[in-house]
Coordinates of all heavy atoms in Angstrom, one line a residue:
M15 N 125.1 -116.5 320.1 CA 124.8 -117.4 318.9 C 125.9 -118.2 318.5 O 127.1 -117.8 318.7 CB 124.1 -116.6 317.7 CG 123.6 -117.5 316.7 SD 122.3 -118.5 317.4 CE 121.9 -119.5 316.1
L16 N 125.8 -119.4 318.0 CA 126.8 -120.2 317.5 C 127.2 -119.9 316.0 O 126.3 -119.6 315.3 CB 126.4 -121.7 317.6 CG 126.2 -122.3 318.9 CD1 125.7 -123.7 318.8 CD2 127.5 -122.4 319.7
K17 N 128.4 -120.0 315.7 CA 128.9 -119.8 314.3 C 129.6 -121.2 314.0 O 130.7 -121.4 314.4 CB 129.9 -118.7 314.2 CG 130.2 -118.5 312.7 CD 131.2 -117.3 312.5 CE 131.5 -117.4 311.1 NZ 132.2 -116.1 310.7
P18 N 128.9 -122.0 313.2 CA 129.4 -123.3 312.9 C 130.7 -123.2 311.9 O 130.7 -122.2 311.2 CB 128.3 -124.0 312.2 CG 127.3 -122.9 311.7 CD 127.5 -121.8 312.6
L19 N 131.5 -124.1 312.0 CA 132.7 -124.1 311.2 C 132.5 -125.1 310.0 O 131.8 -126.1 310.1 CB 133.9 -124.6 312.0 CG 134.3 -123.7 313.2 CD1 135.4 -124.2 314.0 CD2 134.6 -122.3 312.8
A20 N 133.3 -124.8 309.0 CA 133.3 -125.7 307.8 C 131.9 -126.0 307.3 O 131.1 -125.1 306.9 CB 134.2 -126.9 308.0
D21 N 131.6 -127.4 307.2 CA 130.3 -127.7 306.6 C 129.3 -128.1 307.8 O 128.3 -128.9 307.5 CB 130.4 -128.9 305.6 CG 131.0 -130.2 306.4 OD1 131.5 -130.1 307.4 OD2 130.8 -131.3 305.8
R22 N 129.5 -127.5 308.8 CA 128.5 -127.7 309.9 C 127.3 -126.8 309.8 O 127.4 -125.7 309.3 CB 129.1 -127.5 311.3 CG 130.3 -128.3 311.6 CD 130.0 -129.8 311.8 NE 131.0 -130.6 312.4 CZ 132.0 -131.1 311.9 NH1 132.3 -130.8 310.7 NH2 132.9 -131.9 312.5
V23 N 126.1 -127.3 310.3 CA 124.9 -126.6 310.3 C 124.2 -126.6 311.6 O 124.2 -127.7 312.3 CB 123.9 -127.1 309.2 CG1 122.6 -126.3 309.2 CG2 124.5 -127.1 307.8
V24 N 123.7 -125.5 312.2 CA 123.0 -125.5 313.5 C 121.5 -125.6 313.2 O 121.0 -124.8 312.4 CB 123.3 -124.3 314.3 CG1 122.6 -124.4 315.6 CG2 124.8 -124.2 314.5
L25 N 120.8 -126.5 313.8 CA 119.4 -126.7 313.6 C 118.6 -126.5 314.9 O 119.0 -126.9 316.0 CB 119.1 -128.1 313.2 CG 119.9 -128.6 311.9 CD1 119.6 -130.1 311.7 CD2 119.4 -127.8 310.7
R26 N 117.4 -125.9 314.7 CA 116.5 -125.8 315.9 C 115.4 -126.9 315.5 O 114.6 -126.8 314.6 CB 115.7 -124.4 315.8 CG 114.7 -124.3 317.0 CD 114.1 -122.9 316.9 NE 115.0 -121.9 317.4 CZ 115.3 -120.8 316.6 NH1 114.6 -120.5 315.5 NH2 116.2 -119.9 317.0
I27 N 115.4 -127.9 316.4 CA 114.5 -129.1 316.2 C 113.1 -128.6 316.4 O 112.7 -128.0 317.5 CB 114.9 -130.2 317.2 CG1 116.4 -130.6 316.8 CG2 114.0 -131.4 317.0 CD1 117.0 -131.6 317.8
K28 N 112.2 -129.1 315.6 CA 110.8 -128.8 315.7 C 110.2 -129.8 316.7 O 110.5 -130.9 316.7 CB 110.1 -129.0 314.4 CG 110.3 -127.9 313.4 CD 109.4 -128.0 312.2 CE 109.6 -126.8 311.3 NZ 108.6 -126.8 310.3
E29 N 109.4 -129.3 317.7 CA 108.7 -130.1 318.6 C 107.7 -130.9 318.0 O 106.8 -130.3 317.2 CB 108.3 -129.3 319.8 CG 109.3 -128.6 320.6 CD 110.3 -129.6 321.3 OE1 109.7 -130.6 321.8 OE2 111.5 -129.2 321.3
E30 N 107.6 -132.2 318.1 CA 106.5 -133.0 317.6 C 105.4 -133.0 318.6 O 105.6 -132.9 319.8 CB 107.1 -134.5 317.4 CG 108.2 -134.5 316.4 CD 107.9 -134.2 315.0 OE1 106.7 -134.5 314.6 OE2 108.7 -133.6 314.3
K31 N 104.2 -133.2 318.1 CA 103.0 -133.3 319.0 C 103.0 -134.6 319.7 O 103.6 -135.6 319.3 CB 101.7 -133.2 318.0 CG 101.5 -131.9 317.3 CD 100.3 -132.0 316.6 CE 100.2 -130.7 315.8 NZ 99.0 -130.6 315.0
E32 N 102.5 -134.5 321.0 CA 102.6 -135.6 321.9 C 101.4 -136.6 321.6 O 101.4 -137.6 322.3 CB 102.6 -135.1 323.3 CG 103.8 -134.4 323.6 CD 103.9 -134.0 325.2 OE1 103.1 -134.5 325.9 OE2 104.8 -133.2 325.5
K33 N 100.5 -136.3 320.8 CA 99.3 -137.2 320.6 C 99.5 -137.9 319.3 O 100.0 -137.4 318.3 CB 98.0 -136.5 320.6 CG 97.6 -136.0 322.0 CD 96.2 -135.5 321.9 CE 95.8 -135.1 323.3 NZ 94.4 -134.5 323.3
S34 N 99.1 -139.2 319.2 CA 99.1 -140.0 317.9 C 97.9 -139.6 317.2 O 96.9 -138.9 317.7 CB 99.2 -141.5 318.3 OG 98.0 -141.9 318.9
I35 N 97.6 -140.1 316.1 CA 96.5 -139.9 315.2 C 95.2 -140.4 316.0 O 94.2 -139.8 315.9 CB 96.6 -140.7 313.9 CG1 97.8 -140.1 313.1 CG2 95.3 -140.6 313.1 CD1 98.1 -140.7 311.8
G36 N 95.4 -141.5 316.8 CA 94.2 -142.0 317.5 C 93.9 -141.2 318.7 O 92.9 -141.5 319.4
G37 N 94.7 -140.2 319.0 CA 94.4 -139.4 320.2 C 95.0 -139.8 321.5 O 94.8 -139.3 322.6
I38 N 95.9 -140.8 321.4 CA 96.5 -141.4 322.6 C 97.8 -140.5 322.9 O 98.5 -140.2 322.0 CB 97.0 -142.8 322.3 CG1 95.8 -143.7 322.1 CG2 97.8 -143.4 323.6 CD1 96.2 -145.1 321.6
V39 N 97.9 -140.1 324.2 CA 99.1 -139.3 324.6 C 100.2 -140.3 324.8 O 100.2 -141.2 325.6 CB 98.7 -138.5 325.8 CG1 100.0 -137.7 326.3 CG2 97.5 -137.6 325.6
L40 N 101.4 -139.9 324.1 CA 102.5 -140.8 324.3 C 103.6 -140.1 325.2 O 103.7 -138.9 325.2 CB 103.2 -140.9 322.9 CG 102.4 -141.6 321.8 CD1 103.2 -141.4 320.5 CD2 102.1 -143.0 322.2
A41 N 104.1 -140.9 326.1 CA 105.1 -140.5 326.9 C 106.4 -140.0 326.1 O 106.6 -140.5 325.0 CB 105.7 -141.5 327.8
S42 N 107.1 -138.9 326.6 CA 108.2 -138.4 325.8 C 109.3 -139.5 325.5 O 109.9 -139.4 324.4 CB 108.8 -137.2 326.4 OG 109.3 -137.5 327.7
A43 N 109.4 -140.4 326.4 CA 110.4 -141.5 326.2 C 110.0 -142.4 325.1 O 110.8 -143.0 324.4 CB 110.7 -142.2 327.5
A44 N 108.7 -142.5 324.8 CA 108.2 -143.5 323.8 C 108.1 -142.9 322.5 O 108.0 -143.6 321.5 CB 106.8 -143.9 324.3
Q45 N 108.3 -141.6 322.3 CA 108.3 -140.9 321.0 C 109.6 -141.0 320.3 O 110.7 -141.2 320.9 CB 107.9 -139.4 321.2 CG 106.6 -139.2 321.9 CD 106.4 -137.7 322.0 OE1 106.9 -136.9 321.3 NE2 105.6 -137.4 323.1
E46 N 109.5 -141.1 319.0 CA 110.7 -141.1 318.1 C 111.3 -139.7 318.2 O 110.6 -138.7 318.3 CB 110.3 -141.5 316.7 CG 110.0 -143.1 316.6 CD 109.9 -143.4 315.2 OE1 110.5 -142.8 314.3 OE2 109.3 -144.5 314.9
K47 N 112.6 -139.7 317.9 CA 113.3 -138.4 317.9 C 112.8 -137.7 316.6 O 112.7 -138.3 315.6 CB 114.8 -138.7 317.7 CG 115.6 -137.4 317.6 CD 117.1 -137.8 317.6 CE 118.0 -136.5 317.3 NZ 119.3 -136.9 317.1
P48 N 112.5 -136.4 316.8 CA 112.0 -135.5 315.6 C 113.1 -135.5 314.6 O 114.2 -135.6 314.8 CB 111.8 -134.2 316.1 CG 111.8 -134.4 317.7 CD 112.5 -135.6 318.0
Q49 N 112.7 -135.5 313.3 CA 113.6 -135.4 312.2 C 113.5 -134.2 311.3 O 114.1 -134.1 310.3 CB 113.5 -136.6 311.3 CG 114.0 -137.9 311.9 CD 113.9 -139.0 311.0 OE1 112.9 -139.8 311.1 NE2 114.8 -139.2 310.2
T50 N 112.7 -133.2 311.8 CA 112.5 -132.0 311.0 C 113.0 -130.9 311.9 O 112.9 -130.9 313.1 CB 111.0 -131.7 310.6 OG1 110.2 -131.7 311.8 CG2 110.5 -132.8 309.7
A51 N 113.6 -129.9 311.2 CA 114.3 -128.7 312.0 C 114.3 -127.5 311.1 O 114.2 -127.6 309.9 CB 115.6 -129.1 312.5
E52 N 114.6 -126.4 311.8 CA 114.9 -125.1 311.1 C 116.4 -124.8 311.1 O 116.9 -124.9 312.2 CB 114.1 -124.0 311.7 CG 114.3 -122.7 311.1 CD 113.7 -121.5 311.8 OE1 112.9 -121.8 312.8 OE2 113.9 -120.4 311.3
V53 N 116.9 -124.5 310.0 CA 118.3 -124.0 310.0 C 118.5 -122.7 310.5 O 117.8 -121.7 310.2 CB 118.9 -124.0 308.4 CG1 120.3 -123.6 308.5 CG2 118.7 -125.5 307.9
I54 N 119.3 -122.6 311.6 CA 119.5 -121.2 312.3 C 120.9 -120.7 312.1 O 121.1 -119.5 312.3 CB 119.1 -121.3 313.8 CG1 119.9 -122.3 314.5 CG2 117.6 -121.5 314.0 CD1 119.7 -122.2 316.1
A55 N 121.8 -121.5 311.6 CA 123.2 -121.0 311.3 C 123.9 -122.0 310.3 O 123.7 -123.2 310.5 CB 124.0 -120.8 312.5
V56 N 124.7 -121.5 309.5 CA 125.4 -122.4 308.5 C 126.9 -121.9 308.4 O 127.2 -120.7 308.4 CB 124.8 -122.1 307.1 CG1 125.4 -122.9 306.1 CG2 123.3 -122.5 307.1
G57 N 127.7 -123.0 308.3 CA 129.2 -122.7 308.2 C 129.5 -122.3 306.8 O 128.6 -122.1 305.9
A58 N 130.8 -121.9 306.6 CA 131.3 -121.4 305.3 C 131.2 -122.4 304.2 O 131.1 -122.1 303.0 CB 132.7 -120.9 305.4
G59 N 131.3 -123.7 304.5 CA 131.3 -124.7 303.5 C 132.3 -125.8 303.6 O 133.3 -125.6 304.4
R60 N 132.3 -126.8 302.8 CA 133.4 -127.9 302.8 C 134.5 -127.5 301.9 O 134.3 -126.9 300.9 CB 132.7 -129.1 302.4 CG 133.6 -130.3 302.5 CD 132.9 -131.6 302.0 NE 132.4 -131.6 300.7 CZ 133.1 -132.0 299.6 NH1 134.4 -132.4 299.8 NH2 132.6 -131.9 298.4
T61 N 135.8 -127.8 302.5 CA 137.0 -127.5 301.7 C 137.4 -128.8 301.2 O 137.6 -129.7 301.8 CB 138.0 -126.9 302.7 OG1 137.5 -125.7 303.3 CG2 139.2 -126.6 301.9
T62 N 137.7 -128.8 299.8 CA 138.2 -129.9 299.1 C 139.7 -130.1 299.4 O 140.3 -129.2 299.9 CB 138.0 -129.8 297.6 OG1 138.8 -128.9 297.1 CG2 136.5 -129.6 297.3
N63 N 140.3 -131.3 298.9 CA 141.7 -131.5 299.1 C 142.5 -130.6 298.3 O 143.7 -130.4 298.6 CB 141.9 -132.9 298.6 CG 141.4 -134.0 299.5 OD1 141.1 -133.8 300.7 ND2 141.1 -135.2 298.9
H64 N 142.0 -129.9 297.3 CA 142.7 -128.9 296.5 C 142.5 -127.5 297.1 O 143.0 -126.5 296.5 CB 142.2 -128.9 295.1 CG 142.4 -130.2 294.5 ND1 143.6 -130.8 294.2 CD2 141.5 -131.2 294.1 CE1 143.5 -132.0 293.7 NE2 142.3 -132.3 293.6
G65 N 141.8 -127.3 298.3 CA 141.7 -126.0 298.9 C 140.5 -125.2 298.4 O 140.2 -124.1 298.8
T66 N 139.6 -125.8 297.5 CA 138.4 -125.1 297.0 C 137.3 -125.2 298.1 O 137.1 -126.3 298.5 CB 138.0 -125.7 295.7 OG1 139.1 -125.7 294.7 CG2 136.8 -124.9 295.1
V67 N 136.6 -124.2 298.4 CA 135.5 -124.2 299.3 C 134.2 -124.4 298.4 O 133.9 -123.7 297.6 CB 135.4 -122.9 300.1 CG1 134.2 -122.9 301.1 CG2 136.7 -122.7 301.0
I68 N 133.5 -125.4 298.9 CA 132.1 -125.7 298.2 C 131.1 -125.1 299.2 O 131.0 -125.5 300.3 CB 132.0 -127.2 298.1 CG1 133.1 -127.8 297.2 CG2 130.6 -127.5 297.5 CD1 133.1 -129.3 297.1
A69 N 130.4 -124.1 298.6 CA 129.3 -123.5 299.4 C 128.3 -124.4 299.9 O 127.9 -125.4 299.1 CB 128.8 -122.3 298.6
P70 N 127.7 -124.2 301.1 CA 126.6 -125.1 301.5 C 125.3 -124.9 300.6 O 125.1 -123.9 300.1 CB 126.3 -124.6 302.9 CG 127.1 -123.4 303.2 CD 128.0 -123.2 302.1
T71 N 124.6 -125.9 300.6 CA 123.3 -126.0 299.8 C 122.2 -125.3 300.6 O 121.3 -124.7 300.2 CB 122.9 -127.4 299.6 OG1 124.0 -128.1 298.9 CG2 121.7 -127.5 298.6
V72 N 122.2 -125.5 302.0 CA 121.1 -125.0 302.8 C 121.5 -123.6 303.3 O 122.6 -123.1 303.2 CB 120.9 -125.9 304.1 CG1 120.4 -127.2 303.7 CG2 122.0 -126.0 304.9
K73 N 120.4 -122.8 303.6 CA 120.6 -121.4 304.1 C 119.7 -121.3 305.4 O 118.9 -122.0 305.7 CB 120.3 -120.5 303.1 CG 118.8 -120.5 302.6 CD 118.6 -119.5 301.4 CE 117.2 -119.5 300.9 NZ 116.6 -120.8 300.7
V74 N 120.0 -120.2 306.2 CA 119.4 -119.9 307.4 C 117.8 -119.7 307.0 O 117.5 -119.1 306.0 CB 119.8 -118.6 308.0 CG1 119.0 -118.1 309.1 CG2 121.3 -118.8 308.5
G75 N 116.9 -120.4 307.8 CA 115.5 -120.3 307.6 C 114.9 -121.5 306.9 O 113.7 -121.7 306.9
D76 N 115.8 -122.3 306.2 CA 115.3 -123.5 305.6 C 114.7 -124.5 306.5 O 115.3 -124.6 307.7 CB 116.4 -124.2 304.8 CG 116.7 -123.6 303.5 OD1 116.1 -122.7 303.0 OD2 117.8 -124.0 302.9
Q77 N 113.7 -125.2 306.2 CA 113.0 -126.3 306.9 C 113.6 -127.6 306.4 O 113.6 -127.7 305.1 CB 111.6 -126.3 306.8 CG 110.9 -125.0 307.3 CD 111.2 -124.6 308.7 OE1 111.0 -125.6 309.6 NE2 111.5 -123.4 309.0
V78 N 114.3 -128.4 307.2 CA 115.0 -129.6 306.7 C 114.6 -130.9 307.4 O 114.0 -130.8 308.5 CB 116.5 -129.4 306.8 CG1 117.0 -128.2 305.9 CG2 117.0 -129.2 308.2
I79 N 114.9 -132.0 306.7 CA 114.8 -133.3 307.4 C 116.2 -133.8 307.5 O 117.0 -133.8 306.5 CB 114.0 -134.3 306.5 CG1 112.5 -133.6 306.3 CG2 114.0 -135.7 307.1 CD1 111.6 -134.4 305.3
F80 N 116.6 -134.3 308.6 CA 118.0 -134.8 308.9 C 118.0 -136.2 309.4 O 117.0 -136.7 309.7 CB 118.6 -133.8 309.9 CG 117.9 -133.8 311.2 CD1 118.3 -134.6 312.3 CD2 116.9 -132.8 311.5 CE1 117.7 -134.5 313.5 CE2 116.3 -132.8 312.7 CZ 116.7 -133.7 313.7
E81 N 119.2 -136.7 309.3 CA 119.4 -138.2 309.7 C 118.9 -138.3 311.2 O 119.1 -137.4 312.1 CB 120.9 -138.5 309.8 CG 121.6 -138.7 308.4 CD 121.3 -140.0 307.8 OE1 120.9 -140.9 308.5 OE2 121.6 -140.1 306.6
K82 N 118.3 -139.4 311.5 CA 117.7 -139.7 312.8 C 118.6 -139.6 314.0 O 118.3 -139.1 315.0 CB 117.0 -141.0 312.7 CG 116.1 -141.3 313.9 CD 115.3 -142.6 313.6 CE 114.0 -142.5 314.3 NZ 113.1 -143.5 313.9
F83 N 119.8 -140.2 313.8 CA 120.8 -140.3 314.9 C 122.1 -139.5 314.7 O 123.1 -139.6 315.3 CB 121.1 -141.7 315.3 CG 119.9 -142.5 315.7 CD1 119.4 -143.4 314.8 CD2 119.3 -142.2 316.9 CE1 118.2 -144.1 315.1 CE2 118.2 -142.9 317.3 CZ 117.6 -143.9 316.4
G84 N 122.0 -138.4 313.8 CA 123.1 -137.6 313.5 C 123.3 -136.4 314.4 O 122.3 -136.0 315.1
G85 N 124.5 -135.8 314.4 CA 124.7 -134.6 315.1 C 125.0 -134.7 316.6 O 125.0 -135.7 317.2
T86 N 125.2 -133.5 317.1 CA 125.5 -133.3 318.5 C 124.6 -132.2 319.1 O 124.4 -131.1 318.6 CB 127.0 -132.8 318.7 OG1 127.8 -133.7 318.1 CG2 127.3 -132.6 320.1
T87 N 123.9 -132.5 320.2 CA 123.0 -131.7 320.8 C 123.8 -130.8 321.8 O 124.5 -131.4 322.7 CB 121.8 -132.4 321.5 OG1 121.2 -133.3 320.6 CG2 120.8 -131.5 322.2
V88 N 123.5 -129.5 321.8 CA 124.1 -128.6 322.8 C 123.1 -127.6 323.3 O 122.1 -127.3 322.6 CB 125.3 -127.8 322.2 CG1 126.5 -128.7 321.9 CG2 124.9 -127.0 321.0
K89 N 123.3 -127.1 324.4 CA 122.4 -126.1 325.0 C 123.0 -124.7 325.0 O 124.0 -124.5 325.6 CB 121.9 -126.5 326.5 CG 120.6 -125.8 326.9 CD 120.2 -126.5 328.2 CE 118.8 -126.2 328.4 NZ 118.2 -126.9 329.5
I90 N 122.3 -123.8 324.3 CA 122.9 -122.4 324.2 C 121.8 -121.5 324.6 O 120.7 -121.5 324.1 CB 123.4 -122.0 322.8 CG1 124.4 -123.0 322.3 CG2 123.8 -120.7 322.6 CD1 125.8 -122.9 323.1
D91 N 122.0 -120.6 325.6 CA 121.1 -119.6 326.1 C 119.7 -120.3 326.4 O 118.6 -119.8 326.1 CB 120.8 -118.5 325.0 CG 122.1 -117.8 324.7 OD1 122.9 -117.6 325.6 OD2 122.2 -117.3 323.6
G92 N 119.8 -121.4 327.0 CA 118.6 -122.2 327.5 C 117.8 -122.9 326.5 O 116.8 -123.5 326.7
E93 N 118.4 -122.9 325.2 CA 117.7 -123.6 324.1 C 118.6 -124.7 323.6 O 119.8 -124.5 323.4 CB 117.4 -122.6 322.9 CG 116.8 -123.2 321.7 CD 116.6 -122.3 320.5 OE1 117.4 -121.3 320.5 OE2 115.8 -122.6 319.7
E94 N 118.0 -125.9 323.4 CA 118.8 -127.0 322.8 C 118.8 -127.0 321.3 O 117.6 -126.7 320.7 CB 118.1 -128.3 323.2 CG 118.6 -128.9 324.6 CD 118.3 -130.4 324.8 OE1 117.8 -131.0 323.8 OE2 118.5 -130.8 325.9
V95 N 119.9 -127.0 320.7 CA 120.1 -127.0 319.3 C 120.9 -128.2 318.9 O 121.6 -128.8 319.7 CB 120.7 -125.6 318.8 CG1 119.8 -124.5 319.0 CG2 122.1 -125.5 319.3
L96 N 120.9 -128.5 317.6 CA 121.6 -129.7 317.0 C 122.6 -129.2 316.1 O 122.3 -128.4 315.1 CB 120.6 -130.6 316.4 CG 121.1 -132.0 315.9 CD1 121.6 -132.9 317.1 CD2 120.1 -132.7 315.1
I97 N 123.9 -129.6 316.2 CA 124.9 -129.3 315.2 C 125.1 -130.6 314.4 O 125.5 -131.6 315.0 CB 126.2 -128.8 315.9 CG1 125.9 -127.6 316.8 CG2 127.2 -128.6 314.9 CD1 127.1 -127.2 317.6
V98 N 125.0 -130.4 313.1 CA 125.1 -131.6 312.2 C 126.1 -131.2 311.0 O 126.2 -129.9 310.8 CB 123.7 -132.1 311.6 CG1 122.9 -132.6 312.7 CG2 123.1 -131.0 310.8
K99 N 126.6 -132.2 310.3 CA 127.3 -131.9 309.1 C 126.2 -131.7 308.0 O 125.1 -132.3 308.1 CB 128.2 -133.1 308.7 CG 129.5 -133.2 309.5 CD 130.3 -134.2 309.0 CE 131.7 -134.2 309.7 NZ 132.6 -135.1 309.0
E100 N 126.5 -130.9 307.1 CA 125.6 -130.7 305.9 C 125.2 -132.1 305.4 O 124.0 -132.2 304.9 CB 126.1 -129.7 304.9 CG 125.0 -129.4 303.9 CD 125.4 -128.5 302.8 OE1 126.6 -128.4 302.5 OE2 124.6 -127.7 302.3
S101 N 126.1 -133.0 305.3 CA 125.8 -134.3 304.6 C 124.7 -135.2 305.5 O 124.2 -136.1 305.0 CB 127.1 -135.1 304.5 OG 127.7 -135.4 305.8
D102 N 124.5 -134.8 306.7 CA 123.5 -135.4 307.6 C 122.1 -134.9 307.2 O 121.1 -135.4 307.7 CB 123.8 -135.2 309.1 CG 125.0 -136.0 309.5 OD1 125.3 -137.0 308.9 OD2 125.5 -135.6 310.6
I103 N 122.0 -133.9 306.4 CA 120.7 -133.3 306.1 C 120.3 -134.0 304.8 O 121.0 -134.0 303.8 CB 120.8 -131.7 305.8 CG1 121.1 -131.1 307.2 CG2 119.4 -131.2 305.3 CD1 121.4 -129.6 307.1
L104 N 119.0 -134.5 304.9 CA 118.6 -135.4 303.8 C 117.8 -134.6 302.8 O 117.9 -135.0 301.6 CB 117.7 -136.5 304.3 CG 118.3 -137.4 305.4 CD1 117.3 -138.3 306.0 CD2 119.5 -138.2 304.8
A105 N 117.0 -133.6 303.2 CA 116.2 -132.9 302.3 C 115.8 -131.5 302.8 O 115.8 -131.3 304.0 CB 114.9 -133.6 301.9
I106 N 115.5 -130.6 301.9 CA 114.9 -129.4 302.3 C 113.4 -129.4 302.0 O 112.9 -129.9 300.9 CB 115.5 -128.1 301.5 CG1 117.0 -128.0 301.7 CG2 114.8 -126.8 301.8 CD1 117.7 -127.0 300.8
V107 N 112.6 -129.0 303.0 CA 111.1 -129.1 302.9 C 110.6 -127.7 302.3 O 110.9 -126.7 302.8 CB 110.4 -129.3 304.2 CG1 109.0 -129.3 304.1 CG2 111.0 -130.5 304.9
E108 N 110.0 -127.9 301.1 CA 109.5 -126.7 300.5 C 108.0 -126.4 300.6 O 107.3 -127.3 300.8 CB 109.9 -126.7 299.0 CG 111.3 -126.6 298.8 CD 111.7 -126.7 297.3 OE1 110.9 -127.1 296.4 OE2 112.8 -126.3 297.0

């Protein structure tokens, strides 16, 4: 498993359905990149210029919405995950 550093967060991207509302099957290349994911690992937090660590807002298990083109995709143990900065996360889905 990955242990993110500082204010980084590891996300498991949710697979979007391949059909549109009208029932048309879309090719994977034509689909937009998913923007919802589950948090699977969280770093210790952001360090300020004064050395204070600000704890992350998100926690493991949170469902989040993230920036469309943010982060870095890596493959670990056969699974693709996304590593983003906490600031790339827009909202927690409750």
